[in-house]
Amino acid sequence: MPNHPPNAALKGTAMPKARYTFELPEHDVEYGVEVRIKDLNIDPQAQRTLNERRAQNIADNMVREAIGSVIVSKRPDSDLYIVDGQHRWRACALADIRTIRAEVHHSLTQAQEAILFLIKNRESHKPRPIDEYHVGLTGGVPLFVDTDRILDKHGLTLGSTSTNGVGAVSGVLRIVDRYGASVFDRTLTVAEEAWERSAETWDGMLLGGIGMFLGRWGDLVDDKELAKKMMGMGTAAKWRSEILSQSSRGGFNNSGTGSRVSTAYRLVVAAWNKGRKAENRIEA
C-alpha cells in the first residue's frame, strides 16, 4: 500500500498530463485550384461517414458563390482524394455542378491525409467523436492508437455500450488525453474489479470519475483496495443512479456531463476515504 504523509489530509499534485499533437511534414499546397467533381475520390478510412441527407440539404439550399473550397490530396499517381468537404462535393454532384474550388495538398500519405482532416476539423465542424477516432487510427495519431491499444488489452471496443463495448467515446479520449494511457488502463481495471463486466461498468460518467481520481492521485492509490471499496458502496447501476441524483439536485447548470464526471470523482474520493483517519484522507 502507498505511504501517506502524516498529520495532514493528502494534497498531492496532479500526475503529468499526456501531450498528444497532430503533426504534418512540410509539403506543397496549391490554393484556388478549380477541379472537376467527377475527378474527386473519397477514402473512407480517412474521412467521416457521408451523410446523404445532409448533402441533399446542402444541394437544396445551394448558393454557388458561397460553397468555398474543399481540401484535396493529390497522391503520387495523380488521383485526387477529398480530405475535407465531402458533403459539399456530394451536394455539387446532386445539384449538377461540375467543378469546385480546391486547396490541393501534394505528397501526403493516407495517414497524413487523416491527420490533415483532424487538424482542419479541430476547431470548426468537428466530426463525430467515433469518426474522429477511426480517422485518427488511420492517421496513426498516438492519442487514438494508445486508446485502441488499451481497449484491445481489455477486450473492449469503442462506439457503443455493451458488456464488451464502451460508448462514451469523448469521455474515453479525454481520460487518455489528460492523464495518459496508463491511467486509462488502470481505470478499466478498477472498474471491472469493482463491478465485473457489464454495460453499466463502462458507463462514461463512472469511467470519467475513476480516471480523474487516478489521474490526480494515482501515485498514492492502491488499485485493488480502491476497487474493493468502490464495490462496497454498491453496483455500477447504483453508482450511476446516485450520480444522476446528486447532479440533478445541483440545478440545471450542474446537470451536464462535466458536472456528472465531477460528481463521480467525489464519490470515488468518498469510497477511498471511508474508514481512514483524517490525516490519511484525500481532499476532493
Side-chain angles (χ1 to χ4, degrees):
M1 179 175 166
N3 293 322
H4 298 148
N7 304 322
L10 300 176
K11 296 182 179 180
T13 57
M15 297 177 71
K17 293 184 179 180
R19 296 283 184 180
Y20 292 97
T21 59
F22 299 154
E23 298 180 353
L24 283 176
E26 291 187 8
H27 60 279
D28 292 333
V29 184
E30 296 178 271
Y31 299 93
V33 179
E34 202 74 18
V35 296
R36 295 187 299 181
I37 295 297
K38 69 176 184 178
D39 290 340
L40 295 172
N41 302 285
I42 293 292
D43 186 339
Q45 289 185 295
Q47 270 287 338
R48 74 182 90 190
T49 305
L50 179 68
N51 185 321
E52 190 71 21
R53 179 178 294 180
R54 178 183 171 191
Q56 185 64 62
N57 184 60
I58 294 172
D60 292 342
N61 298 279
M62 179 76 73
V63 178
R64 181 68 177 87
E65 294 75 17
I67 294 175
S69 297
V70 295
I71 313 300
V72 171
S73 173
K74 188 171 185 178
R75 294 183 175 178
D77 59 7
S78 294
D79 284 347
L80 299 173
Y81 278 82
I82 296 175
V83 173
D84 188 54
Q86 66 170 339
H87 287 94
R88 281 173 289 150
W89 162 77
R90 177 58 179 155
C92 286
L94 293 170
D96 200 28
I97 294 173
R98 300 189 178 186
T99 64
I100 190 170
R101 192 162 295 160
E103 174 185 311
V104 182
H105 293 249
H106 294 259
S107 304
L108 296 181
T109 64
Q110 183 197 50
Q112 289 165 348
E113 289 172 5
I115 292 171
L116 178 60
F117 168 82
L118 294 174
I119 292 172
K120 290 290 186 179
N121 285 276
R122 183 172 250 180
E123 299 301 331
S124 62
H125 305 295
K126 190 172 177 66
R128 293 187 308 153
I130 191 62
D131 286 333
E132 184 179 37
Y133 174 69
H134 288 305
V135 172
L137 286 178
T138 297
V141 179
L143 169 62
F144 305 101
V145 173
D146 287 351
T147 301
D148 188 64
R149 172 174 55 83
I150 299 303
L151 287 166
D152 185 66
K153 175 182 176 181
H154 289 266
L156 294 167
T157 59
L158 191 62
S160 61
T161 302
S162 67
T163 300
N164 297 309
V166 183
V169 181
S170 294
V172 162
L173 293 174
R174 191 176 301 114
I175 294 170
V176 180
D177 192 31
R178 290 183 178 178
Y179 306 115
S182 62
V183 167
F184 180 47
D185 187 9
R186 292 173 66 186
T187 296
L188 295 177
T189 299
V190 168
E192 183 169 358
E193 288 192 5
W195 302 310
E196 300 183 339
R197 292 180 79 93
S198 69
E200 290 80 10
T201 299
W202 314 125
D203 180 86
M205 297 181 298
L206 302 183
L207 295 181
I210 298 169
M212 184 183 294
F213 181 77
L214 293 175
R216 293 180 177 180
W217 306 96
D219 55 344
L220 302 175
V221 171
D222 178 271
D223 294 358
K224 288 188 177 296
E225 181 184 356
L226 176 61
K228 184 176 180 180
K229 288 199 163 191
M230 289 170 54
M231 179 174 59
M233 289 180 62
T235 64
K238 183 177 179 180
W239 272 68
R240 188 176 187 280
S241 177
E242 181 61 25
I243 291 165
L244 293 173
S245 176
Q246 288 192 23
S247 297
S248 64
R249 288 200 298 270
F252 178 80
N253 292 329
N254 293 315
S255 60
T257 300
S259 173
R260 291 170 181 174
V261 168
S262 296
T263 301
Y265 163 73
R266 289 192 294 271
L267 288 178
V268 176
V269 172
W272 176 256
N273 286 337
K274 191 172 183 179
R276 292 184 181 279
K277 294 180 179 180
E279 62 268 23
N280 291 328
R281 292 176 182 170
I282 284 174
E283 291 185 349

